[in-house]
């Protein structure tokens, strides 16, 4: 019996040791990020197809910095991404994400080709927008400010679709009128005529003028 207990204890120690062989840690700004290579490879297609373990360990940190600067992603969102990775990208019922986090996480997910995270964030946005139009407008506003120097601001088609479904609430939202006219036009153009309150549309046009 004692031999069995010793064996089980030794096995546990070996498992922990082997698990640590898979552990990757790097500094991002002032914070240390830890994750398991096998875990990110499980979810990221580009990691599976294009990176060896040594590449992940040595190059992912610089790649993360690269996409952060290119896509104007907040450092807190980078940290939160790796926290979600440790949870296998499973949100709890009480999870609360900001518009900024959703926007940044979608960018990271797109770069690393993580379908599960993309799906989870998209579903969260849909649920949130069903009762909070302001959340979607905040996402667009954040994207516009992040890409202020770009000539064209690409807004996802499904985000605009979500606004078109809630067009009456959009007309009543002061921030909607502050969006670029091309975005407002596309959202309205997606609506059927019976969705649109002509009086509210007229008020919006007067404000824009």
């Amino acid at each position: 019996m004692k031999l069995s207990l010793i064996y089980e204890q030794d096995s546990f120690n070996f498992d922990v040791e082997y698990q640590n062989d898979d552990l990757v840690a790097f500094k991002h700004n002032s914070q240390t990020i830890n994750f398991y290579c096998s875990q990110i490879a499980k979810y990221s297609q580009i990691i599976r197809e294009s990176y060896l373990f040594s590449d992940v360990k040595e190059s992912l940190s610089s790649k993360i910095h690269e996409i952060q600067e290119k896509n104007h992603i907040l450092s807190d969102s980078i940290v939160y991404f790796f926290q979600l990775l440790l949870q296998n990208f499973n949100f709890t019922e009480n999870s609360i994400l900001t518009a900024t986090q959703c926007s940044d996480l979608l960018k990271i997910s797109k770069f690393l080709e993580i379908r599960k995270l993309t799906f989870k964030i998209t579903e969260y946005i849909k649920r949130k927008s069903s009762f909070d139009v302001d959340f979607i407008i905040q996402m667009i506003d954040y994207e516009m400010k992040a890409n202020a120097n770009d000539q064209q601001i690409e807004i996802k088609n499904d985000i605009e679709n979500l606004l078109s479904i809630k067009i009456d609430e959009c007309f009543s939202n002061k921030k909607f009128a502050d969006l670029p006219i091309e975005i407002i036009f596309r959202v309205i153009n997606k609506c059927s005529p019976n969705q649109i309150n002509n009086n509210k549309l007229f008020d919006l046009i007067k404000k824009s003028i």
Side-chain angles (χ1 to χ4, degrees):
M1 187 66 176
K2 291 182 179 180
L3 287 175
S4 176
L5 288 174
I6 293 172
Y7 174 77
E8 289 175 4
Q9 181 65 37
D10 288 345
S11 297
F12 173 78
N13 289 335
F14 277 126
D15 287 342
V16 171
E17 182 180 350
Y18 293 146
Q19 189 178 35
N20 287 338
D21 286 344
D22 191 37
L23 184 66
V24 177
F26 66 86
K27 281 280 188 182
H28 184 77
N29 294 337
S30 60
Q31 300 192 57
T32 299
I33 292 176
N34 298 282
F35 66 96
Y36 291 105
C37 182
S38 58
Q39 194 172 25
I40 197 169
K42 176 182 178 181
Y43 295 107
S44 171
Q45 183 174 345
I46 196 170
I47 294 293
R48 290 194 301 272
E49 294 179 351
S50 305
Y51 288 78
L52 298 172
F53 174 72
S54 57
D55 295 328
V56 175
K57 197 168 186 177
E58 296 172 7
S59 304
L60 187 59
S61 173
S62 60
K63 286 293 182 183
I64 291 295
H65 278 285
E66 180 184 330
I67 65 169
Q68 180 180 8
E69 292 181 3
K70 183 178 179 180
N71 295 284
H72 310 284
I73 297 172
L74 298 179
S75 294
D76 287 346
S77 298
I78 299 288
V79 174
Y80 187 53
F81 166 80
F82 284 101
Q83 290 174 350
L84 289 175
L85 173 62
L86 295 176
Q87 301 170 23
N88 295 309
F89 302 120
N90 292 319
F91 300 155
T92 66
E93 292 183 0
N94 298 323
S95 294
I96 299 176
L97 280 70
T98 65
T100 298
Q101 286 174 324
C102 287
S103 181
D104 283 349
L105 288 171
L106 282 175
K107 294 175 190 174
I108 301 170
S109 181
K110 180 180 178 181
F111 176 80
L112 294 176
E113 299 178 24
I114 301 177
R115 291 191 301 159
K116 180 177 181 179
L117 180 58
T118 300
F119 175 79
K120 291 280 189 178
I121 295 296
T122 302
E123 288 299 300
Y124 181 89
I125 292 170
K126 288 179 180 177
R127 289 196 304 272
K128 187 77 172 177
S129 65
S130 66
F131 61 88
D132 188 2
V133 167
D134 197 55
F135 183 83
I136 302 300
I137 296 175
Q138 287 175 26
M139 282 190 68
I140 296 176
D141 185 59
Y142 172 67
E143 284 298 304
M144 289 179 52
K145 290 177 180 177
N147 297 279
N149 296 323
D150 293 347
Q151 292 183 351
Q152 289 186 336
I153 300 171
E154 182 180 347
I155 302 297
K156 284 185 176 293
N157 186 56
D158 52 353
I159 297 296
E160 292 180 356
N161 287 338
L162 291 173
L163 286 180
S164 68
I165 295 171
K166 296 282 188 177
I167 190 63
D168 197 58
E169 293 177 41
C170 288
F171 287 149
S172 303
N173 191 300
K174 295 180 181 179
K175 294 180 182 178
F176 182 71
D178 294 332
L179 295 176
I181 191 65
E182 62 270 20
I183 295 177
I184 295 175
F185 174 79
R186 285 199 302 268
V187 170
I188 294 175
N189 202 40
K190 293 174 186 288
C191 302
S192 61
N194 60 352
Q195 281 183 273
I196 298 176
N197 183 311
N198 290 326
N199 291 329
K200 289 186 176 182
L201 177 59
F202 180 68
D203 289 339
L204 176 68
I205 293 171
K206 283 199 302 182
K207 289 178 184 177
S208 299
I209 293 173

